[in-house]
Every structure is written in structure tokens, then in C-alpha cells.
Amino acid sequence: MTTEDLSRENLSGNQLLKANSGKEVRKRAKEDLASQAKNSSGSFFGEEDDGNGLVFPSFDVFPEELRIGPWSLAAKVFLTALVLLVIFSVPMLEMPKIQSTEHKPLYAAVSIYMLLVQAHTVHKYKGWPLVTYTCVSYFLLNLHFLFHALNLPSAAEVLRFSSLAMATVTTTVWWLVLVPILLAVCGPEKYRAFVRMNFSIFLLNEHLFNLPMAFLSHWLLPRKLVFLDFWVATVFATGYLFFYLFVLDANGAHFYIILSPRPWWCIFSYTGILLIYAGLFWAFS
């Protein structure tokens, strides 16, 4: 082998080494970016420390396989079938008999109070809570009261069961399921901070007081529920599910990890939601 051949071989080796080094640098940069994304999923909503050791909102405590990766085939099939079911049931819809309320001042007072609560929420916590199921439920309940106060009974009654069902789900799931779990896992150092947060004006109104307000309207102006009520509630539930999956989940905001479309068993979560709505429809009828 000549000196020229050795020189060429050394040059090729150096070029290969540089190429490999460049690939390694790029690989590490991608890993760093991925790591940063995984460790700050709550940054989509301005993740911040509340000063008591709790970071809101934080989603990285959930298993990565539920947060990252492609959707399961089961999720795609179920969601497609759900949309088709909603569309093809339209011919079955009939408006119920609706009457105006005699309690417009009360409806107006409750509506104004709920608007103030939502304004307080935005002022104190910025905008991110408004995209949660809890706040959407509270907003629909507020609209129900507002429409009755404005003497728009048809618009108000279309939202009757939707607001009632969502308020029931929000309050019962929070106090009977999530609060005991969170108290069990938060540890002594974060116990007081969680209790203080749980009894804040925001959470008391949207996780507790919302339910008696929904019941109040249902009792003030009683009527038999019809299929339209259940259909509208299903449309809102489906619409929020798609918003959650395509916007919130896709941007790392995993508020409701059991709704993740990645495991095959997500169909049980989705079916469970429909069964809960069906059970509430039967109960309130």
C-alpha cells in the first residue's frame, strides 16, 4: 500500500468519524428535546409551582405509554361508530313540551353569580381551567340559567339534561373517586396544600355547588326527559371527547388519562361514559 493510499484511507476514516460524530450530536439533541417535552407537558397551559410544592397542571406522573404513541385500532373503530350513531339517530329527535319559568329573577341571580365565579377563575388561574370538563360543565349550566332568565326557554331546555348530567358526573367523580385517591398519594408534605386547593372558591363552586344548582333548576321547572335530551348530552360528550383527544391530549395536556386512545382498553372507558349518561337519563326521567 502506497503513502497516497494510506493518506486516502486516513482521510476517509476522519470523514466517517466526523459524520458519526455529527449523527451522535443530532441524536442527543433530539433526545434532549424529547426529554424536555416529556418533563414539561403542563407547559402547554403555563405550568407553574403554586409555592406549596404542587405544580399545576402536571401530567408527567402518568405512564408514558398512555401519553405518547399512536392510537389503537379499537379507539379509531369505536369513535367512528359513535359519530355514525349520533348522525343516524337524528330522525328520532322530537322537541319536548316547554314552558316559560316564573322564576326569572332567581335564574338571573344564579347566572350572574356563576359568571362572577368564572371571571374569578380566569383572573386567578389564567385560562387553562376553562378547557376542562369541569369548567365546560359549569359553563353549560350557566347558559341554562341565563337562557331561562332571558326568556329563551327552548334554548335553556335543550341544555337541561346536558348540564344536569355533567354537573352530576363532575361532582360525584371528584368527591367519591378522585379526592380519596389524591389524598392517599399526595403525601403528608402536600396534604395541606391539596386540602387548601380543594376548598378554594374555584373548586367549591365548580366541584360542589354546581350540583345543587343543577338540581334546583330541574325541580323548579320539572318535565319528563325525552330522547332529544339524551342525544344533545351525547353530542356534547362526544364533542368534548374529540376536543380532548385532538387538541389537549395531542399537546400533552392529559387531564383525563383514562381517555387515552392508545391502549385497546380505552373502549371500556368510552363505553362507561355512555352508560353513565344513560343511567343518569333513566334516573332523572
Side-chain angles (χ1 to χ4, degrees), residues 179-246:
V179 168
I181 292 175
L182 292 172
L183 287 175
V185 302
C186 68
E189 68 282 359
K190 296 180 180 180
Y191 181 88
R192 291 184 179 178
F194 174 75
V195 170
R196 185 164 52 252
M197 178 196 73
N198 194 34
F199 287 93
S200 64
I201 295 176
F202 162 56
L203 288 188
L204 279 179
N205 276 278
E206 305 210 12
H207 280 165
L208 184 60
F209 301 156
N210 59 323
L211 187 57
M213 287 191 291
F215 282 172
L216 174 66
S217 178
H218 192 58
W219 291 328
L220 284 176
L221 195 62
R223 71 166 173 85
K224 184 178 180 179
L225 297 179
V226 298
F227 179 70
L228 174 67
D229 296 302
F230 180 75
W231 186 86
V232 171
T234 303
V235 168
F236 277 119
T238 304
Y240 184 82
L241 177 60
F242 274 79
F243 169 73
Y244 175 78
L245 295 177
F246 284 100

Side-chain angles (χ1 to χ4, degrees), residues 7-280:
S7 177
R8 288 176 180 174
E9 185 174 340
N10 288 335
L11 181 60
S12 298
N14 289 334
Q15 290 175 340
L16 182 61
L17 181 61
K18 289 181 179 179
N20 289 336
S21 298
K23 289 180 180 178
E24 186 67 26
V25 169
R26 288 192 294 272
K27 181 180 178 181
R28 288 181 179 178
K30 289 181 179 179
E31 289 176 350
D32 290 341
L33 287 174
S35 176
Q36 291 173 13
K38 294 175 186 175
N39 291 330
S40 60
S41 60
S43 62
F44 181 69
F45 290 110
E47 180 184 81
E48 57 185 37
D49 195 313
D50 72 342
N52 297 296
L54 292 175
V55 176
F56 299 101
S58 179
F59 312 105
D60 300 305
V61 295
F62 301 124
E64 187 174 303
E65 61 269 20
L66 298 181
R67 296 186 286 114
I68 301 172
W71 290 19
S72 65
L73 177 61
K76 296 177 182 178
V77 172
F78 184 95
L79 294 173
T80 302
L82 178 59
V83 171
L84 293 175
L85 180 64
V86 168
I87 293 173
F88 285 111
S89 60
V90 170
M92 302 170 59
L93 303 180
E94 292 183 5
M95 282 294 292
K97 294 181 180 179
I98 295 172
Q99 58 183 351
S100 297
T101 178
E102 299 177 354
H103 307 283
K104 292 183 182 64
L106 176 59
Y107 276 93
V110 173
S111 178
I112 292 172
Y113 173 78
M114 296 180 75
L115 284 172
L116 292 175
V117 170
Q118 292 173 89
H120 166 78
T121 301
V122 174
H123 174 72
K124 186 170 183 179
Y125 301 102
K126 301 179 183 178
W128 71 262
L130 298 181
V131 300
T132 63
Y133 180 90
T134 295
C135 287
V136 171
S137 165
Y138 199 79
F139 178 70
L140 289 181
L141 183 60
N142 191 356
L143 284 181
H144 172 73
F145 276 88
L146 179 62
F147 288 150
H148 268 308
L150 297 175
N151 198 28
L152 299 171
S154 295
E157 287 303 296
V158 165
L159 298 176
R160 173 190 284 256
F161 178 66
S162 300
S163 57
L164 185 59
M166 294 177 77
T168 304
V169 170
T170 298
T171 301
T172 54
V173 170
W174 176 254
W175 288 100
L176 299 181
V177 179
L178 295 180
V179 168
I181 292 175
L182 292 172
L183 287 175
V185 302
C186 68
E189 68 282 359
K190 296 180 180 180
Y191 181 88
R192 291 184 179 178
F194 174 75
V195 170
R196 185 164 52 252
M197 178 196 73
N198 194 34
F199 287 93
S200 64
I201 295 176
F202 162 56
L203 288 188
L204 279 179
N205 276 278
E206 305 210 12
H207 280 165
L208 184 60
F209 301 156
N210 59 323
L211 187 57
M213 287 191 291
F215 282 172
L216 174 66
S217 178
H218 192 58
W219 291 328
L220 284 176
L221 195 62
R223 71 166 173 85
K224 184 178 180 179
L225 297 179
V226 298
F227 179 70
L228 174 67
D229 296 302
F230 180 75
W231 186 86
V232 171
T234 303
V235 168
F236 277 119
T238 304
Y240 184 82
L241 177 60
F242 274 79
F243 169 73
Y244 175 78
L245 295 177
F246 284 100
V247 179
L248 301 184
D249 178 86
N251 286 280
H254 309 285
F255 286 107
Y256 313 106
I257 198 64
I258 62 170
L259 299 182
S260 172
R262 295 166 185 85
W264 66 268
W265 48 260
C266 66
I267 59 175
F268 294 109
S269 297
Y270 304 153
T271 303
I273 293 172
L274 292 178
L275 291 177
I276 290 173
Y277 272 61
L280 291 173

